[in-house]
Amino acid sequence: MGWQFLAAVAGGGGVWATHFVAMLAYQPQVPVTFDPAMTVLSLVVAMAGLFGAFLVSGARASRVFPAMGGALAGLSIAAMHFTGMFAYRVIGLVEWRHDFIAAAILLAVVCSSAALSLLCRRHLGSSRYWGAVALMVAGIVSLHFTAMTAFRVTPMAQTFPEVDAHAVVALALAIAVAAIIIVGTGLTSYLIDINVRADSNKQIRHMATHDALTGLPNRASFKSRLAEAHREAREADGKFAVIVIDLNRFKDINDTLGHAAGDEALKTLARRMARALEGAEFVARLGGDEFAAIRRFEDKSEIAAFADRLAGVFSQPMKISAMEAAVGASLGAAVWPDDAEDVDELINNADLAMYHAKVGYRETICFYDAEIGAAVRKRRQLAEALRYALEHDELEVHYQVQMSLAAGEIHGYEALLRWTHPQFGPIPPSDFIPLAEENGLISSLGAWVLRRACMDAAEWESGYRVAVNVSAVQFMDSNLPRLVHEVLVETGLAPHRLELELTETALVKDKSRSLHVMRQIKALGVAMALDDFGSGYSSLETLRTFPFDKIKLDKAFVDGIQEDRQSMAIVRAVLALGKSLEIPVLAEGIETGDQMSILRAEGCDEGQGYLLGRPMPIGDLARHGRSTRADALQDGEKPGDAVATGKVATA
């Protein structure tokens, strides 16, 4: 509507100026004057009429509207002309020929209607544009000269007062200047708008192809550059590589310093990468902490050198929130045409190589090959199968006994997750637990095991407790206390029969938050055990700060208790520490009678291991409870063939 108004002002002013300058050239042989009010009114009529005509023609509700608007434009120009003629005052008798008046109006209406009909076509070519311009000019000119032919003046006196020629020239100049100002205003507005639009379009294109946070090219720009590199490589029979980059410790920055610090780290890394690029090298941010690079090459060593340059960017420490941090990155590369036939397969293979590097904790480039592809695809297949098994209740919980070493009485059982894949058979927890962590399934697995273990324990005839491992991810969830409470209510298990085990790693990220969560859980009546003591940080500050009900001595120290003097010293120290803090100690991994005898002699409270009982399904627990007694322990039962005893919680 704004442009329609400007067009009406410029067009109306131009037609009005054309009319009055032409009227000044008309010689009626009698004195002539102009009525100022009618002269200005004719200008208003032209502008207002054209504005209405452009509004109608721009409606485009149907094909009739442009023609209707054009007809209205012709009538507006005619109204301006005849209003201007009423402002034309002569000393003489004025006559009008109505046939020429009708012809003038008809010519203006037909020509302007045809002109706007052409201009409003969906596909306006150059020929149609200039045809419309010619029709509009023809309509205005034919209106003026045909209408002037209808105008007749007969002098009423022989002598006339002299006309001031300078005044006429001044009027002509004033009209011309007014017209130039009006048209110039419209033209200037157009030029300004063109420049603003060009700047806006440039900015929009930049926003559409670049990442808002880092300023690097985005995913859309990466795909466009990849298609271009693919086309150029095919035409020149060359090669190019795609490198997928994923940051390794970026989540730690987000978790410990906050998302603002994470954004600052991404911007810093983006600036460093941009400075590290040479020639036609290209780097884009695909999203989150994932980047991708494209480089043409002749020798594969060029890609390795390029990757080393990028890896150096990520390994350099950077200062964030008054702290120094280095994130590191895993890089995977795939080469066209060696590793893929099309660009989608190329990206996927580079992603597989990066995933292989990340699983292997490598911070150098990993080039794709068939073996890597097969291994990663199998790992991803297992991840999907694990997700399916979790959703369709195809997992199992086995239970391993925990006994008093002094009395030989069963105190409880630890719940351990087991998974049997329909194709690959039993999958060790040491394999599928990291897989669950990588794919965001660990919290769901932990909740499933907690619910199943409490359901099983609620059905036991004896009041044994059940110990359930809690992962670091699960423990950092503020909803964990509510989940524990809901499970206890649903299953009817007494709170004192539930014990949650967690490693020290789960506590160190946010000690105040961890302490708050632990106090909420203990307020429910649930016990807390510190798992794998000695294998992690093993900070005495942890035992002082957190109200644990039990310490579980790591299996590694129990294994060396017979031959390794240092292991023996550590076991004695931990047992003494437990007694001084009045916290019972449970030794994990007891597999021989000698280990059992030493731990009992040193005053260890409880034990767990193959000597006391292997993990078993729920159906075998009753039989095991009847057969396991203290005298059986004296026989020194050997473990036989050991199986992996993984847990839902990991460090």
Side-chain angles (χ1 to χ4, degrees), residues 464-519:
Y464 297 141
R465 66 169 181 261
V466 61
V468 180
N469 289 273
V470 177
S471 70
V473 174
Q474 193 178 9
F475 190 74
M476 291 304 294
D477 187 353
S478 58
N479 292 321
L480 179 61
R482 185 174 66 182
L483 173 66
V484 173
H485 181 259
E486 290 176 355
V487 169
L488 292 174
V489 172
E490 289 174 13
T491 60
L493 183 70
H496 72 273
R497 293 183 58 199
L498 175 63
E499 182 177 85
L500 298 183
E501 299 181 359
L502 64 151
T503 61
E504 194 171 4
T505 309
L507 307 172
V508 296
K509 286 188 175 181
D510 191 336
K511 289 190 176 182
S512 60
R513 183 176 179 179
S514 299
L515 182 60
H516 178 66
V517 172
M518 182 179 288
R519 284 173 175 169

Side-chain angles (χ1 to χ4, degrees), residues 432-473:
F432 72 77
I433 293 302
L435 202 63
E437 291 179 331
E438 294 165 12
N439 291 272
L441 297 174
I442 193 67
S443 293
S444 300
L445 280 179
W448 185 89
V449 172
L450 176 65
R451 185 169 275 104
R452 175 56 61 85
C454 290
M455 288 173 59
D456 290 344
E459 297 177 357
W460 295 342
E461 294 181 1
S462 55
Y464 297 141
R465 66 169 181 261
V466 61
V468 180
N469 289 273
V470 177
S471 70
V473 174

Side-chain angles (χ1 to χ4, degrees), residues 52-63:
F54 293 153
L55 287 176
V56 172
S57 63
R60 295 191 183 186
S62 71
R63 295 182 179 180

Side-chain angles (χ1 to χ4, degrees), residues 36-208:
M38 294 298 291
T39 300
V40 174
L41 179 61
S42 65
L43 176 60
V44 174
V45 167
M47 293 180 177
L50 284 178
F51 183 51
F54 293 153
L55 287 176
V56 172
S57 63
R60 295 191 183 186
S62 71
R63 295 182 179 180
V64 179
F65 278 82
M68 290 174 57
L72 182 56
L75 291 173
S76 302
I77 295 170
M80 180 277 302
H81 176 89
F82 290 109
T83 304
M85 290 304 298
F86 288 130
Y88 192 72
R89 303 297 171 83
V90 296
I91 301 176
L93 182 62
V94 177
E95 295 179 286
W96 291 93
R97 292 186 59 180
H98 298 289
D99 52 348
F100 281 98
I101 292 175
I105 295 173
L106 182 62
L107 285 169
V109 168
V110 171
C111 290
S112 59
S113 179
L116 283 185
S117 295
L118 283 174
L119 286 173
C120 291
R121 293 286 183 90
R122 182 162 299 187
H123 303 290
L124 179 64
S126 177
S127 59
R128 286 181 178 175
Y129 172 77
W130 289 111
V133 171
L135 283 170
M136 185 62 76
V137 171
I140 296 170
V141 173
S142 61
L143 164 71
H144 177 81
F145 289 106
T146 305
M148 290 307 298
T149 304
F151 185 70
R152 291 287 185 270
V153 178
T154 303
M156 297 181 65
Q158 297 298 323
T159 59
F160 306 103
E162 293 208 6
V163 177
D164 188 353
H166 294 290
V168 174
V169 173
L171 178 61
L173 289 174
I175 293 171
V177 169
I180 291 171
I181 292 173
I182 292 171
V183 176
T185 301
L187 180 61
T188 303
S189 300
Y190 171 75
L191 294 175
I192 291 173
D193 182 75
I194 288 295
N195 290 332
V196 170
R197 287 191 183 191
D199 292 340
S200 299
N201 289 336
K202 183 178 179 181
Q203 186 176 2
I204 290 171
R205 283 194 298 270
H206 185 273
M207 291 172 62

Side-chain angles (χ1 to χ4, degrees), residues 6 90 233 294 362 543 639:
L6 280 174
V90 296
I294 301 172
R362 296 169 57 182
L543 292 176

